């Protein structure tokens, strides 16, 4: 939640220039996840940037965090109530350099790498992302992050120390997952 709140502040000028409102709907005040925070910031940054880009003036964006049925994953949604993505194009949007026809036609800048990077980062975390653009108007990007287990000794810490302790554990877990995936790729090349 803190990452999302901090990012919302960083986008304040862009949001105000288009008079876009942001509704945040979080399951609880603190949602601790297993992740590399710098990489997840990049994911959120790309998704929120796109949401602003494709939301009309005086529009709205919604950011939701929900706990999955098994209570081991959070589902994070970034929803814009702007331009829909054609159903035929949805299967391509996570490919490198892909830009939908609608984004080309409305003079939107971008390299077509943002969603590709988002998908790669989430894949390195062992997580998924999907798009839902079957409602009019709007598009929803939903991705998952593993819920962090909070140990009994962590519960007694203040929020800042708790975040640092969980972040350290999750960074180690994610780094080892990334290293083992890189080693597998090297083995395949050799």
């Amino acid at each position: 939640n803190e990452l999302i709140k901090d990012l919302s502040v960083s986008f304040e000028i862009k949001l105000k220039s288009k008079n876009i409102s942001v509704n945040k709907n979080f399951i609880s005040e603190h949602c601790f996840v297993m992740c590399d925070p710098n990489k997840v910031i990049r994911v959120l940054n790309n998704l929120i940037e796109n949401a602003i880009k494709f939301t009309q003036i005086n529009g709205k964006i919604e950011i939701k965090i929900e706990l999955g049925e098994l209570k081991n994953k959070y589902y994070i949604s970034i929803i814009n109530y702007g331009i829909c993505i054609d159903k035929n194009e949805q299967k391509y949007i996570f490919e490198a350099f892909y830009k939908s026809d609608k984004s080309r036609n409305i003079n939107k800048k971008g390299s077509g790498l943002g969603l590709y990077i988002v998908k790669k980062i989430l894949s390195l975390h062992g997580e998924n992302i999907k798009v839902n653009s079957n409602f009019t108007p709007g598009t929803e990007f939903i991705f998952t992050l593993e819920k962090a287990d909070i140990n009994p000794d962590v519960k007694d810490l203040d929020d800042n120390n708790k975040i640092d302790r969980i972040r350290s554990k999750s960074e180690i877990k994610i780094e080892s997952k990334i290293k083992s995936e890189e080693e597998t790729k090297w083995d395949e090349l050799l």
Side-chain angles (χ1 to χ4, degrees), residues 40 42-48 50 73-79 85 90-91 93-95 113-132 139-145:
V40 171
R42 180 102 187 248
V43 166
L44 290 166
N45 190 46
N46 285 354
L47 292 174
I48 293 170
N50 280 354
K73 290 199 184 278
Y74 286 108
Y75 288 79
I76 299 97
S77 297
I78 312 291
I79 306 165
I85 300 170
Q90 290 178 26
K91 57 187 164 203
I93 63 171
F94 294 107
E95 292 180 8
L113 285 173
L115 293 175
Y116 172 78
I117 292 168
V118 164
K119 182 153 181 99
K120 285 295 181 189
I121 289 171
L122 292 170
S123 292
L124 288 172
H125 283 77
E127 300 298 340
N128 298 305
I129 184 166
K130 70 176 192 169
V131 62
N132 177 14
T139 300
E140 176 180 26
F141 286 91
I142 307 165
F143 67 94
T144 57
L145 288 174

Side-chain angles (χ1 to χ4, degrees), residues 71-188:
K71 310 245 185 274
N72 63 343
K73 290 199 184 278
Y74 286 108
Y75 288 79
I76 299 97
S77 297
I78 312 291
I79 306 165
N80 76 69
Y81 294 92
I83 298 170
C84 292
I85 300 170
D86 186 87
K87 188 147 184 89
N88 295 325
E89 294 188 23
Q90 290 178 26
K91 57 187 164 203
Y92 303 112
I93 63 171
F94 294 107
E95 292 180 8
F97 304 110
Y98 183 79
K99 291 179 77 174
S100 74
D101 286 338
K102 285 184 181 179
S103 70
R104 286 187 188 115
N105 292 336
I106 56 174
N107 196 23
K108 298 297 179 197
K109 295 179 182 177
S111 64
L113 285 173
L115 293 175
Y116 172 78
I117 292 168
V118 164
K119 182 153 181 99
K120 285 295 181 189
I121 289 171
L122 292 170
S123 292
L124 288 172
H125 283 77
E127 300 298 340
N128 298 305
I129 184 166
K130 70 176 192 169
V131 62
N132 177 14
S133 195
N134 301 327
F135 54 96
T136 304
T139 300
E140 176 180 26
F141 286 91
I142 307 165
F143 67 94
T144 57
L145 288 174
E146 182 181 343
K147 181 181 175 192
D149 291 329
I150 300 179
N151 296 331
D153 61 322
V154 175
K155 288 181 184 173
D156 296 331
L157 298 174
D158 64 34
D159 285 340
N160 290 330
N161 288 326
K162 191 183 300 182
I163 290 167
D164 289 340
R165 178 83 59 88
I166 291 170
R167 189 174 288 154
S168 298
K169 284 182 179 181
S170 61
E171 285 173 355
I172 291 167
K173 182 178 178 180
I174 297 304
E175 284 174 16
S176 66
K177 189 183 288 187
I178 290 170
K179 284 180 185 172
S180 68
E181 189 170 302
E182 288 173 352
E183 288 168 2
T184 304
K185 286 180 184 174
W186 275 108
D187 291 341
E188 289 172 4

